[in-house]
Amino acid sequence: PTRRSSDLATLRYDKRGAGGWKPEFGKPEDFRFKDYVDDAVSLVNYLRNSGKFSRVVVVGHSEGGLVAILAARQVQVDRLVLLVTAARRQGDLLKAQLEKRQIPPDILDPIVKAIDSIMAGQTVDPPPRGFDVPPSMQPSLASAFVIDPIDPLKAIDKPILIVGGGHDVQVARVDFMALATAAPLAKTLWLPDMN
């Protein structure tokens, strides 16, 4: 059949490891955040090389927004959509999320210190109570914790849509505003009742 110009196709996937770690992913302790980005780049290239699509739009939600930003810096995309994406390093976001939970200081303080140490490239052994990340997995975590999305976003020259939600419990409006500031030509959509 002939494709009409208004036809849309979508390719949706879960990040590797979401349904359990599989041998084809390699060893979990060897995983790095760039592997998520490499997966996205490979999929965009697959769509581009198929000859079936005139445009490729990359949509990233939450952590996937960071993946989308980094992928859009490496591969040709026509548009970028960021859904409830943080504008700060994931380690800093995690600390802010934990602080909102009213965790007692004797538990929270060692966790925050461990996150800071991991972000600094150190191994925390043993990990503190409530933060059961084995030392072998901490370099993988560090690879995600330290990436700042702002500078890569500033370098994208394609149309961007930034969407945020007023009831989201993980990403604050300050992130939405910081992304919009980093990409001043982006269209923005704030949905006050969206979680």
Side-chain angles (χ1 to χ4, degrees):
T2 305
R3 257 191 199 278
R4 296 186 315 260
S5 63
S6 62
D7 287 348
L8 295 175
T10 61
L11 170 64
R12 180 192 177 277
Y13 70 99
D14 291 326
K15 64 184 179 182
R16 68 168 77 188
W21 200 261
K22 297 180 179 151
E24 57 264 28
F25 298 154
K27 295 178 181 177
E29 58 271 14
D30 293 337
F31 171 79
R32 298 296 180 266
F33 192 79
K34 75 170 207 61
D35 295 326
Y36 286 153
V37 178
D38 291 345
D39 291 344
V41 167
S42 293
L43 290 169
V44 170
N45 282 329
Y46 170 78
L47 295 174
R48 284 246 181 252
N49 295 333
S50 73
K52 296 179 181 179
F53 307 101
S54 59
R55 290 187 294 184
V56 176
V57 177
V58 175
V59 180
H61 171 253
S62 190
E63 180 184 54
L66 178 58
V67 171
I69 290 168
L70 298 174
R73 294 288 297 128
Q74 294 184 33
V75 69
Q76 175 66 29
V77 301
D78 296 290
R79 296 199 177 8
L80 176 64
V81 179
L82 304 175
L83 304 174
V84 195
T85 298
R88 49 193 145 160
R89 300 178 306 172
Q90 290 185 17
D92 295 330
L93 178 66
L94 178 59
K95 290 187 297 184
Q97 291 170 344
L98 290 171
E99 288 166 0
K100 284 183 182 179
R101 289 184 161 175
Q102 300 176 355
I103 298 170
D106 63 316
I107 296 173
L108 178 62
D109 293 345
I111 292 172
V112 169
K113 185 178 177 186
I115 292 169
D116 286 337
S117 295
I118 292 169
M119 289 176 71
Q122 300 166 2
T123 300
V124 179
D125 190 12
R129 179 174 54 134
F131 190 73
D132 301 324
V133 179
S136 64
M137 295 302 297
Q138 291 175 19
S140 172
L141 206 56
S143 73
F145 274 8
V146 297
I147 302 170
D148 189 330
I150 295 299
D151 284 340
L153 180 62
K154 286 179 180 178
I156 296 173
D157 64 353
K158 300 297 180 190
I160 300 170
L161 172 64
I162 301 167
V163 181
H167 287 276
D168 190 88
V169 296
Q170 295 186 10
V171 178
R173 185 166 185 152
V174 68
D175 290 282
F176 173 81
M177 295 182 328
L179 292 174
T181 300
L185 298 180
K187 292 185 178 181
T188 58
L189 177 60
W190 180 256
L191 300 168
D193 295 325
M194 183 177 79
N195 65 15

